[in-house]
Amino acid sequence: MRHPRAHAWEIAAGIAVGGAALAGFRTVAGRPIRSASTLTAAGAGMAASGLMVYEWLSPRSWLYGPVFWQARTAEHVVALTFDDGPCHPYTEQLLDILDQEEITATFFQIGNNVRREPNLAAEVASRHVVGNHTFDHPQLVWSRPGTVREQLRRGQEAIHAATGSLPHLFRVPYGWFGPQVVATAEELGFRCVGWSVMAWDWNRPPSELIKRRILRGVRPGGVTLLHDGQDTDAFPKADRSHTIAAVPRIIRSLRASGYGFLTLPELMDLDAQDR
Ligand SMILES: [Zn+2]
């Protein structure tokens, strides 16, 4: 069954088109452009269009259906998530850090990278939650539902072949949850996941800056996004050493501020209890 909000965006689209059309019609009909009605119609049309574009490109998208990006809770808990792996040697290093810290995290794996590193993917899945991050990390912002479906299916196949598990979480590349992406993922039984804080770590900023960005943006119930791989240009081209160096420091600082660590499904459960 479709989410009750699945049609909300159609209303926004109606306002966007209707507002612009009404303002245009009044202008063509010779009404003063600065009249209150024309400006109101144009303003409503522009606001609705702006909202639609923002929601299309946001990892916290609401308009097109449910995208989980933060739990509504006052508890000091956070879910660490890592995208674009598995990727040698960074994923192994990350697994060691998380083991030492006794933290279970969530990894959004790319099918093509899983195929390259099946053993590493299986190791991740044996200790952590794994989500689908498409087969080869395309930007799906304007893609047809068929393309989205194909990416999800192939990602799922690769992850299942390597790890034996079938993820039920999906994070779209770049966080661009357009209406066709959310609808298709839901149709296939996935829950869409965004994030509440990230560190632009794909640009390889110094690890101190990665740590600062995460700590500055983190809130109770938050979802952090960092990268242990690099889309389909995985090892040997990827360099995630700065991210890996930042992770233990982020964990220690969060612990010092009283934070505990949950997996995404655990954080989602907590959010559901709060309703
Ligand atoms: Zn990604």
Side-chain angles (χ1 to χ4, degrees), residues 185-203:
E186 276 214 299
E187 202 182 284
L188 296 174
F190 287 95
R191 287 201 61 185
C192 298
V193 179
W195 60 85
S196 66
V197 54
M198 50 100 162
W200 287 275
D201 62 324
W202 56 86
N203 287 334

Side-chain angles (χ1 to χ4, degrees), residues 147-262:
T147 310
V148 178
R149 199 171 297 121
E150 190 61 9
Q151 280 290 331
L152 275 161
R153 191 188 60 73
R154 293 180 70 202
Q156 207 73 343
E157 247 172 43
I159 292 171
H160 186 251
T163 71
S165 61
L166 280 172
H168 65 278
L169 301 176
F170 169 58
R171 180 178 276 156
V172 72
Y174 314 102
W176 292 335
F177 280 112
Q180 85 289 21
V181 172
V182 179
T184 307
E186 276 214 299
E187 202 182 284
L188 296 174
F190 287 95
R191 287 201 61 185
C192 298
V193 179
W195 60 85
S196 66
V197 54
M198 50 100 162
W200 287 275
D201 62 324
W202 56 86
N203 287 334
R204 294 192 280 277
S207 58
E208 183 56 31
L209 186 55
I210 295 176
K211 175 189 141 185
R212 264 210 317 271
R213 284 173 172 164
I214 293 289
L215 295 179
R216 203 167 45 208
V218 82
R219 301 280 179 276
V223 176
T224 69
L225 165 62
L226 291 167
H227 295 78
D228 61 320
Q230 182 182 327
D231 50 62
T232 44
D233 291 334
F235 179 80
K237 275 160 80 182
D239 176 5
R240 292 291 174 242
S241 54
H242 295 193
T243 298
I244 301 303
V247 171
R249 302 185 212 171
I250 291 171
I251 291 172
R252 267 172 238 141
S253 298
L254 285 173
R255 280 224 162 101
S257 317
Y259 274 92
F261 300 88
L262 298 179

Side-chain angles (χ1 to χ4, degrees), residues 8-167:
W9 72 273
E10 289 162 10
I11 298 167
I15 297 171
V17 173
L22 182 60
F25 176 75
R26 286 178 60 86
T27 305
V28 171
R31 306 284 177 87
I33 291 177
R34 290 192 182 182
S35 76
S37 311
T38 304
L39 287 178
T40 305
M46 275 161 66
S49 313
L51 177 72
M52 287 186 71
V53 172
Y54 170 79
E55 292 283 314
W56 206 301
L57 302 177
S58 169
R60 303 174 178 187
S61 184
W62 176 92
L63 183 63
Y64 303 118
V67 174
F68 181 86
W69 59 274
Q70 169 154 284
R72 290 161 292 181
T73 180
E75 269 184 62
H76 275 60
V77 286
V78 66
L80 302 183
T81 73
F82 300 95
D83 282 14
D84 295 0
C87 179
H88 172 75
Y90 308 106
T91 306
E92 290 99 316
Q93 293 169 357
L94 187 55
L95 288 176
D96 287 347
I97 294 166
L98 294 172
D99 273 359
Q100 276 163 24
E101 299 288 348
E102 295 179 358
I103 289 173
T104 311
T106 306
F107 288 75
F108 286 91
Q109 296 182 331
I110 298 174
N112 203 21
N113 292 351
V114 169
R115 268 211 327 212
R116 289 173 180 162
E117 305 265 9
N119 296 335
L120 189 48
E123 218 179 310
V124 172
S126 70
R127 290 182 256 172
H128 300 275
V129 174
V130 168
N132 187 325
H133 196 43
T134 72
F135 181 73
D136 55 10
H137 211 270
Q139 61 99 336
L140 293 171
V141 67
W142 304 121
S143 297
R144 290 159 183 271
T147 310
V148 178
R149 199 171 297 121
E150 190 61 9
Q151 280 290 331
L152 275 161
R153 191 188 60 73
R154 293 180 70 202
Q156 207 73 343
E157 247 172 43
I159 292 171
H160 186 251
T163 71
S165 61
L166 280 172

